[in-house]
Amino acid sequence: MGVSNGTPKDNGANGHGQTTEPVGRHPRGEGERSDSAVVGKPFVKVDSRSKVLGTMKFADDLTLPRMLHAKLLRSTEAHARIVSIDTTRAEALEGVYAVLTGRSMPITYGILPVSQDEHALCVDRVRYIGDPVAAVAAVDEETAEAACRAIDVVYERLTAIDSVKTALETPEPRIHDYGEEGNIHKRVDLEFGNVDEALASSHHVREDLFFYEGNTHLPLEQHASLAEWHPDGKVTLWSSTQTPHYVHRALAKVLELPPSRVRVVAIPNGGGFGGKSDIFNHEIVVAKLAMVTGRPVKICLTREEVFYCHRGRHPVLMRFRTGVDERGRILGMHSQTYIDGGAYGSYGVASTFYTGALQTVTYHVDRYKFDSVRCFTNKPPCGPKRGHGTPQPRFGLEVQIDKIAADLGLDPIEVRKQNLVEPHSMTANWLRVGSMGLGPCIDKVVEGSDWYSKFRKLPYGRGVGLACGSYLSGAGLPIYWNDMPHSGVQIKLDRSGGVAVFCGATDIGQGSDSVLAFIVADVLGIDPVDIRVVCGDTDLTPVDLGSYSSRVTLMMGNAAIEAAERARAPLAEAVSKKLSIPRSRLVFGGNRVFDAENPETGVTFAEAVQFAETSIGTIGSTGSYKPPRAPGRYKGAGVGPSPAYSYSAAVAEVDVDPETGLVAVERIWIAHDIGRSINPTLVMGQVEGSVYMGLGEALMEAMEYRGNRGVVHKFPSMLEYKSPTTMEMCDVVTYLIEDPDPNGPYGAKEVGQGPLLPIMPAVANAVFDAVGVRVDEVPISAEKVLKAILAKAEGKDGRYGPAKTPAVEWHEPHRVPPPWEGGDGRAIDDPKHMPVPLADPSGHRYKHDMSGD
């Protein structure tokens, strides 16, 4: 039997006209269902195949509104079948111009080709509280909201899955009909060398469990989109998105339009942090509403709705088993992760691999095994948040290294330094490491924090902790695998001396627009102010895959250098002929092109453009970038490779109140291996922004749910979802370590995400130094610290954290020999696998040719 959901109103419906009843019952009577209707003037009827059947043209009434406002009706059930949707009362409201349900957009979409599991509006089932089921376009937001409340929805409630454990124990009903089995979305089993053998031969083996709670991005700007339908059959969407290229693909697919008739313009984002890198329901809905009404339609999500959109940090339970020798050198590591994915796939397959793939690019691991399982649950879907999939395992690894050092009576600094991967080397799982400046990063924060005069020497309640991290500078493969460039840049030179630069990248606050201008200006020798940047417009700019995975500076930057050098070449040729000076002596600088041996001899940049245009016509150029091919050839090798990896080290100093467990972080020293800093001011801002976000995750941020009404978000507002204010923000001392990488533009590497990773474990290690207890969970709340302190006082283990993992039937792993054991990058069961001679019989370090395959 179904039950009433919420306060009964309007014939038994709740405040949004939604009820949960048995199959067959309907608050308005049998058969009174309107699946999709457009009302008002102009009247547009839409059938279940999203085709416009008829229109009536508008009279020239200037009093009528030009732009409409959209609102979404969201599910009040965590998991249910949609029995019926009646939009009759909503259609009858004055000022309502369109009402849509899922049957008007039946085609699924998703950010990954393997997870095309979302509808713009739910068709027959809802999967979390907040899942959109209907949409309204009206004269204003208030009217649209009233129309949503007038829509009557009847649900048949299904079993709600609230955790990984429940998902594993409840294979039916399945949240999705695809995936590994039951409610398991993805399972990974990989082994690089015989890990059991490595652990058996280790001097010391330590096993630990950790839990990292999910949290959300919390950008100040909420999601917003505006769509316009043009008389020539084209649609334009302006949206606060990080990935206009992929939104463009999804719109064309769901709206059944040729891609050439879809335009997506990514507006400068007021913060993203990964939260706007997915494709969202409201983006597709407003485009559809614009099509059926013939008017521009705008939607701006409320803060509560942003919490429902989510795509934030996955909750991850972790088990690490690590074996070391007498000096603490890592011989073998077995990592297991249990991931709560929420209701949809999103980036989840990649997220699953990322919880293990990058563990080897910081510290050398002779043999490595990685198991992971991602489950569907009836919560808002998780996805990529700053550091995508890597902060969780980094937290566990960095805390465990401190524990191992304590077990063996070793210096945790020296344990880390002797395990560092070497520059220009290969990892056990076939990731190619380029420049590696983590050693100098560690030295800098140790010196700056006066570590050795504080560690284990401060009064009770005060302590310091250190942790390290690494991150990729862009993914080595595109989401849709192909051999085309990952980023393109186009340049147009004007005879006035102005330069226009076009690129599909999106500025989300990280300053990518200025980086683009600075690089082109440097090559052409002009002032960045003279450059007009046009970005994130699928009609005007070359493709860039998006602002995610810290890829923009490296990939866009390399494309910009190539385009600028190509634009400079005809100018140099024309000036060389005009002034009878060899091209090799020409210098571009100070808005001039001049003779290096006689700087007074030269021309202005504008004159150089005019000479070239006179000679060969309009001056323009293009540049593009595609990462080098990764050496791994096994299934799953596509996640983890990068043209370059950044490295960070941080020391946190904390004050812990033993009476309350309250943790105050007083100062953080952080050093980041940037490769080469193109804009130091922006780089420092990114590093310190990561520290701020890391403090929130370390101490307070959590996506929490209640189970008394299915799975309800506990605090979908900024009032209750705690995030640091200026009062909680600590002092930060930042060091930039420049170790240029050959794959980066001018040697530059990423800075947008990597500096976040060491903050959470550094705080956890500092808490242990302060009060002698371990909190093996994030966030490290006062309640958890106090419970560990009280447990220790009672003679129990001074620890707060998970005690066990759920039962999973792990598959036989794909076994891939490491490079130093004769591997060729393929699994041994791959018919193409061919063992190669050992490159390093010592089996400890493996150098390689950075030129590629």
Side-chain angles (χ1 to χ4, degrees):
M1 288 290 292
V3 297
S4 177
N5 186 8
T7 304
K9 294 182 182 179
D10 299 326
N11 294 323
N14 66 13
H16 279 80
Q18 302 183 67
T19 60
T20 305
E21 300 188 7
V23 174
R25 289 190 61 193
H26 193 289
R28 298 183 61 82
E30 292 292 336
E32 295 181 12
R33 172 172 177 160
S34 175
D35 288 316
S36 181
V38 179
V39 296
K41 298 179 180 180
F43 175 81
V44 181
K45 184 179 179 182
V46 182
D47 75 357
S48 62
R49 298 180 303 282
S50 302
K51 301 297 185 184
V52 176
L53 298 183
T55 64
M56 289 177 59
K57 292 187 178 180
F58 227 99
D60 293 330
D61 188 344
L62 299 181
T63 65
L64 294 173
R66 173 61 181 152
M67 184 176 73
L68 302 177
H69 296 265
K71 283 291 183 181
L72 300 176
L73 175 65
R74 296 181 179 272
S75 169
T76 56
E77 289 292 325
H79 195 197
R81 291 189 181 92
I82 299 174
V83 178
S84 62
I85 303 178
D86 190 338
T87 63
T88 306
R89 293 190 301 133
E91 296 166 13
L93 288 180
E94 182 73 23
V96 173
Y97 281 78
V99 181
L100 298 177
T101 65
R103 290 177 179 267
S104 63
M105 291 172 285
I107 298 174
T108 59
Y109 68 93
I111 188 66
L112 301 185
V114 295
S115 301
Q116 300 284 300
D117 59 0
E118 298 189 58
H119 287 95
L121 298 169
C122 297
V123 175
D124 53 11
R125 187 191 296 191
V126 294
R127 294 175 170 86
Y128 69 95
I129 292 177
D131 223 355
V133 296
V136 174
V139 293
D140 52 41
E141 288 186 318
E142 291 77 10
T143 303
E145 183 68 35
C148 284
R149 291 194 297 269
I151 297 173
D152 296 313
V153 185
V154 178
Y155 298 104
E156 179 190 7
R157 185 175 293 172
L158 301 172
T159 301
I161 308 298
D162 64 355
S163 67
V164 170
K165 182 176 182 295
T166 306
L168 293 169
E169 295 172 348
T170 314
E172 296 290 341
R174 299 185 72 182
I175 295 175
H176 290 283
D177 293 332
Y178 78 103
E180 299 275 336
E181 59 180 291
N183 284 304
I184 296 176
H185 177 207
K186 181 64 179 178
R187 184 163 36 202
V188 175
D189 308 88
L190 292 167
E191 186 172 24
F192 306 91
N194 191 324
V195 173
D196 287 342
E197 184 180 274
L199 296 177
S201 65
S202 296
H203 171 71
H204 179 65
V205 176
R206 182 168 185 101
E207 183 171 323
D208 289 288
L209 297 182
F210 302 96
F211 177 67
Y212 201 111
E213 182 59 271
N215 50 66
T216 199
H217 314 84
L218 218 66
L220 289 180
E221 177 199 63
Q222 295 143 224
H223 296 258
S225 297
L226 170 67
E228 183 175 16
W229 177 250
H230 304 278
D232 58 357
K234 297 180 179 180
V235 66
T236 298
L237 175 75
W238 292 267
S239 189
S240 53
T241 177
Q242 298 176 227
T243 53
H245 172 66
Y246 293 115
V247 173
H248 178 267
R249 292 182 66 116
L251 281 178
K253 178 186 178 185
V254 177
L255 301 180
E256 298 182 272
L257 291 172
S260 60
R261 297 184 184 179
V262 176
R263 179 187 183 191
V264 176
V265 182
I267 62 174
N269 287 194
F273 315 117
K276 298 170 183 174
S277 59
D278 220 316
I279 303 152
F280 288 95
N281 312 76
H282 63 272
E283 294 173 315
I284 299 174
V285 166
V286 292
K288 181 67 175 180
L289 287 169
M291 290 174 64
V292 300
T293 63
R295 294 168 178 250
V297 180
K298 176 185 177 180
I299 189 169
C300 182
L301 302 191
T302 65
R303 180 61 61 178
E304 181 176 353
E305 289 181 295
V306 175
F307 276 92
Y308 296 145
C309 285
H310 192 39
R311 316 298 162 127
R313 187 86 69 218
H314 287 77
V316 180
L317 176 64
M318 297 163 279
R319 179 193 297 272
F320 291 128
R321 194 159 176 249
T322 303
V324 299
D325 64 14
E326 295 86 347
R327 297 179 292 118
R329 177 176 160 266
I330 300 172
L331 303 179
M333 181 185 297
H334 185 185
S335 166
Q336 290 181 330
T337 60
Y338 305 77
I339 307 170
D340 184 338
Y344 290 99
S346 183
Y347 285 83
V349 171
S351 308
T352 306
F353 282 102
Y354 272 131
T355 59
L358 298 187
Q359 293 291 76
T360 59
V361 300
T362 310
Y363 308 115
H364 177 87
V365 181
D366 281 351
R367 294 174 178 178
Y368 179 57
K369 186 177 182 180
F370 167 51
D371 302 316
S372 183
V373 61
R374 183 184 193 263
C375 295
F376 288 121
T377 61
N378 294 117
K379 300 175 184 176
C382 298
K385 184 187 174 185
R386 202 174 200 167
H388 189 190
T390 63
Q392 302 97 319
R394 177 57 51 185
F395 171 79
L397 177 58
E398 291 295 322
V399 172
Q400 188 179 62
I401 286 178
D402 257 37
K403 292 183 178 184
I404 289 172
D407 291 346
L408 300 178
L410 300 175
D411 181 352
I413 305 294
E414 293 306 315
V415 169
R416 286 176 169 84
K417 291 179 71 173
Q418 72 169 334
N419 276 295
L420 296 181
V421 298
E422 292 188 359
H424 311 296
S425 64
M426 202 86 77
T427 69
N429 56 334
W430 292 86
L431 300 180
R432 184 184 289 126
V433 175
S435 67
M436 201 283 191
L438 183 53
C441 287
I442 294 174
D443 293 340
K444 203 69 178 178
V445 296
V446 167
E447 177 187 3
S449 64
D450 197 14
W451 170 269
Y452 286 108
S453 69
K454 297 177 179 177
F455 182 61
R456 302 287 190 262
K457 297 176 182 177
L458 294 174
Y460 182 73
R462 296 180 61 82
V464 292
L466 178 138
C468 301
S470 55
Y471 198 65
L472 42 77
S473 298
L477 288 172
I479 291 175
Y480 288 80
W481 288 12
N482 58 69
D483 293 325
M484 291 183 284
H486 292 208
S487 184
V489 170
Q490 200 166 14
I491 296 178
K492 179 183 75 70
L493 275 60
D494 187 81
R495 62 186 66 172
S496 67
V499 175
V501 183
F502 303 83
C503 181
T506 306
D507 197 317
I508 59 173
Q510 84 280 39
S512 60
D513 284 3
S514 66
V515 168
L516 178 58
F518 291 165
I519 288 176
V520 173
D522 183 75
V523 174
L524 297 180
I526 61 177
D527 193 319
V529 174
D530 294 327
I531 294 179
R532 180 175 296 279
V533 173
V534 180
C535 279
D537 187 325
T538 59
D539 261 15
L540 302 181
T541 62
V543 168
D544 179 275
L545 299 184
S547 294
Y548 63 92
S549 294
S550 282
R551 55 176 300 284
V552 175
T553 292
L554 188 142
M555 298 193 184
M556 176 194 72
N558 280 322
I561 289 175
E562 183 177 86
E565 289 177 343
R566 289 175 174 175
R568 186 179 61 185
L571 274 62
E573 182 67 26
V575 173
S576 173
K577 291 180 179 180
K578 188 72 173 180
L579 301 181
S580 301
I581 298 173
R583 286 185 56 178
S584 59
R585 281 171 38 192
L586 291 178
V587 176
F588 285 70
N591 279 60
R592 297 177 66 239
V593 184
F594 57 88
D595 185 353
E597 296 183 1
N598 184 15
E600 291 76 19
T601 302
V603 299
T604 67
F605 180 79
E607 290 172 330
V609 174
Q610 293 164 17
F611 295 155
E613 191 171 344
T614 300
S615 176
I616 63 173
T618 302
I619 307 298
S621 66
T622 61
S624 58
Y625 177 78
K626 183 171 68 173
R629 189 181 184 191
R633 297 291 181 270
Y634 57 90
K635 185 178 180 180
V639 178
S642 178
Y645 298 93
S646 72
Y647 295 90
S648 306
V651 169
E653 185 169 347
V654 303
D655 187 341
V656 181
D657 184 345
E659 299 297 322
T660 64
L662 188 66
V663 179
V665 178
E666 297 191 341
R667 179 168 293 185
I668 284 180
W669 295 262
I670 183 166
H672 182 69
D673 168 22
I674 183 65
R676 177 67 57 80
S677 179
I678 293 176
N679 185 328
T681 301
L682 290 179
V683 170
M684 297 282 277
Q686 287 290 297
V687 172
E688 293 172 9
S690 288
V691 172
Y692 168 81
M693 183 169 281
L695 286 179
E697 296 197 22
L699 299 177
M700 60 190 75
E701 294 192 35
M703 288 282 282
E704 297 179 328
Y705 300 86
R706 293 178 282 122
N708 60 329
R709 282 184 56 222
V711 183
V712 185
H713 197 296
K714 194 173 182 180
F715 300 127
S717 77
M718 291 182 71
L719 178 65
E720 296 294 342
Y721 180 91
K722 300 305 180 186
S723 181
T725 67
T726 54
M727 300 299 293
E728 289 80 33
M729 182 59 181
C730 65
D731 292 334
V732 181
V733 180
T734 304
Y735 308 100
L736 300 183
I737 304 300
E738 293 197 317
D739 183 10
D741 193 279
N743 283 335
Y746 305 109
K749 299 194 288 189
E750 78 87 32
V751 68
Q753 304 187 62
L756 168 76
L757 301 182
I759 304 304
M760 294 74 72
V763 172
N765 289 334
V767 168
F768 178 75
D769 186 44
V771 291
V773 300
R774 286 287 180 188
V775 177
D776 291 339
E777 286 193 5
V778 166
I780 306 166
S781 65
E783 178 186 19
K784 297 172 186 176
V785 175
L786 184 58
K787 285 183 177 180
I789 291 174
L790 295 176
K792 185 177 181 180
E794 296 172 358
K796 302 175 183 177
D797 185 17
R799 174 185 179 271
Y800 186 97
K804 61 182 180 180
T805 58
V808 175
E809 184 179 340
W810 299 108
H811 292 165
E812 190 69 15
H814 292 282
R815 293 187 168 88
V816 183
W820 43 85
E821 293 185 7
D824 64 348
R826 293 182 171 88
I828 58 175
D829 58 358
D830 186 334
K832 296 181 180 180
H833 170 65
M834 295 184 63
V836 297
L838 293 180
D840 180 5
S842 70
H844 182 51
R845 295 291 191 265
Y846 182 79
K847 295 276 187 174
H848 67 88
D849 179 3
M850 285 298 292
S851 63
D853 295 336

